[in-house]
């Protein structure tokens, strides 16, 4: 999410004082030195990329551990032989073709739970 990225950047740069690393003379005791524009850009870019990478890794781990609702929905549609057209905008959508690997669509709840 975008707001998490910007809040994290603000907390790290302003809250922890990492913005002072982009000064011409980065010293913890001296805050009067002017900022170096190239160091500011590099520090912001590196921190932004680090936060995004951390978010992607967290999302991937959460998808493996907890699972995704979208993947679960597609699995249920495939097992039940149900095709679904989902329109999320006026001229954009997704088509899920429910084709069961077994070739049959009549499953009991217990069989479907076991297959999932």
């Amino acid at each position: 999410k975008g707001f998490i990225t910007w809040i994290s950047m603000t907390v790290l740069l302003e809250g922890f004082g990492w913005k002072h690393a982009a000064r011409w003379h980065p010293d913890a005791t001296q805050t009067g030195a002017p900022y170096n524009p190239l160091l500011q850009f590099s520090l912001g870019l590196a921190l932004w990329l680090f936060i995004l990478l951390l978010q992607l890794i967290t999302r991937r781990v959460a998808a493996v551990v907890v699972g995704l609702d979208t993947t679960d929905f597609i699995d249920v549609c495939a097992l039940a032989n149900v095709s679904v057209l989902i329109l999320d905008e006026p001229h954009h959508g997704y088509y899920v073709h429910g084709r069961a690997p077994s070739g049959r669509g009549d499953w009991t709840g217990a069989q479907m739970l076991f297959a999932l």
Side-chain angles (χ1 to χ4, degrees), residues 7-105:
I7 288 173
S8 301
M9 288 211 36
T10 303
V11 167
L12 292 175
L13 287 174
E14 294 289 334
F16 291 132
W18 289 7
K19 68 176 183 177
H20 299 298
R23 293 187 181 272
W24 282 100
H25 304 287
D27 189 8
T29 60
Q30 180 186 10
T31 58
Y35 287 105
N36 182 345
L38 182 63
L39 286 177
Q40 281 182 314
F41 177 77
S42 301
L43 179 66
L45 181 66
L47 189 60
W48 185 72
L49 289 175
F50 173 73
I51 292 171
L52 285 180
L53 183 65
L54 190 65
Q55 286 178 354
L56 288 174
I57 291 171
T58 304
R59 184 180 295 173
R60 179 67 65 166
V61 168
V64 170
V65 173
V66 177
L68 295 173
D69 293 336
T70 308
T71 307
D72 295 341
F73 178 71
I74 291 171
D75 289 343
V76 169
C77 288
L79 284 176
N81 272 344
V82 175
S83 297
V84 179
L85 179 65
I86 302 169
L87 296 173
D88 59 348
E89 292 184 13
H91 300 289
H92 183 267
Y94 300 96
Y95 175 71
V96 177
H97 184 70
R99 184 174 182 193
S102 64
R104 64 178 241 215

